[in-house]
Amino acid sequence: MSRRPLIGITSYVEPAGWAVWRDVPAALVPQAYVRAVTAAGGRAVVLPPDDADADVLRVLDGLLLAGGADVGPERYATPPDPRTESRPDRDAGELALLTAALAADLPVLGVCRGMQLLAVAYGGTLHQHLPDVVGHDGHRPAPGVYGSHPVRFAAGSLAGAVMAGVDRVNSYHHQGVADPGGLAVTGWADDGVVEALEDPARRFLLGVQWHPENDPDPRPVAALVRAAAGAATSHDTARTDPRDALDSPPAGGSVRMRRR
């Protein structure tokens, strides 16, 4: 029998409340991510931060690096800005997963923070506070308020194919990609902010700066699930694959992919 592709979604660890409980540390993701994966025909698996190993990738067919807090500037050798709010446990756990996913050529989608993490993993750097660069707060108008802005994509790119006909996206971030490292920039906002990154040499590796999980038609998530369907087929026909030989990177390590 065919099965739904298993998509791992990296999770937030934040104080949360439910029922009688308040401010309890919780591993969680917004339901919008799960809903988008399910609607595309996948099965969502929530992945709490864990840098001990990346063994879970042996049973996953795709990886979605979710949004959230800032990537720690020590990961790209830059002093911290006072406005940067990082989560070292997420950085360590997600870089361990990303290192192993790249080694196995597993389909990967990075959303917002996830795209920025891809850039850092490939040797790039970030703007720690985007309004200092672009001169406005349009990419995060107010706490809990999404912005909206025009976008364009490179002809012939993966991002361009996935987002064909789309010329506007939502936005909620105060950091942005300064240097994409070894990745190709294939999407831009009208003010020049990087909106999409990809690695054409891989089966599927795409980063988007906006939040497609909140769109009525979350195309990047659907594209990830389609790409992961091939990995699911491989798992069903041969239970051993290159991931079985993967060594976990050292805790706190970085991928540092070579520039092309």
Side-chain angles (χ1 to χ4, degrees):
M1 293 178 61
S2 61
R3 62 174 178 82
R4 290 184 287 170
L6 297 177
I7 307 298
I9 306 174
T10 59
S11 68
Y12 302 55
V13 175
E14 302 289 346
W18 64 94
V20 299
W21 310 109
R22 296 292 182 268
D23 294 325
V24 178
L28 52 86
V29 295
Q31 175 65 11
Y33 286 102
V34 175
R35 184 171 59 245
V37 167
T38 303
R43 179 71 157 97
V45 179
V46 177
L47 304 175
D50 182 348
D51 65 350
D53 57 52
D55 287 355
V56 67
L57 294 183
R58 292 192 174 100
V59 298
L60 296 180
D61 305 306
L63 177 65
L64 196 164
L65 300 169
D70 303 325
V71 177
E74 70 277 3
R75 297 289 175 172
Y76 47 100
T78 302
D81 183 287
R83 295 161 294 190
T84 294
E85 297 183 6
S86 60
R87 298 290 187 274
D89 57 339
R90 280 198 68 177
D91 291 347
E94 291 179 9
L95 284 168
L97 288 173
L98 180 55
T99 299
L102 292 173
D105 199 19
L106 200 71
V108 176
L109 172 65
V111 170
C112 197
R113 164 198 158 86
M115 185 189 86
Q116 295 167 11
L117 190 73
L118 287 175
V120 170
Y122 271 75
T125 60
L126 305 179
H127 297 300
Q128 289 190 61
H129 193 60
L130 205 53
D132 291 347
V133 179
V134 297
H136 63 81
D137 294 313
H139 293 274
R140 190 177 69 175
V145 176
Y146 283 84
S148 175
H149 57 76
V151 67
R152 62 185 177 88
F153 301 102
S157 66
L158 173 60
V162 170
M163 300 301 291
V166 174
D167 61 6
R168 198 169 190 88
V169 294
N170 64 58
S171 180
Y172 192 79
H173 59 102
H174 84 111
Q175 297 201 332
V177 170
D179 176 356
L183 291 170
V185 178
T186 56
W188 303 264
D190 56 335
D191 58 7
V193 169
V194 174
E195 291 290 325
L197 296 174
E198 58 193 72
D199 184 347
R202 296 190 176 276
R203 173 168 44 173
F204 183 96
L205 186 138
L206 177 64
V208 299
Q209 186 58 73
W210 69 95
H211 283 268
E213 75 279 6
N214 292 330
D215 291 336
D217 181 11
R219 296 188 190 183
V221 179
L224 171 68
V225 173
R226 287 194 300 270
T233 300
S234 298
H235 285 173
D236 292 341
T237 56
R239 293 307 301 175
T240 59
D241 58 51
R243 281 166 285 189
D244 293 336
L246 292 179
D247 293 322
S248 298
S254 152
V255 181
R256 293 291 170 188
M257 301 300 292
R258 184 171 54 196
R259 295 174 183 266
R260 298 183 184 281

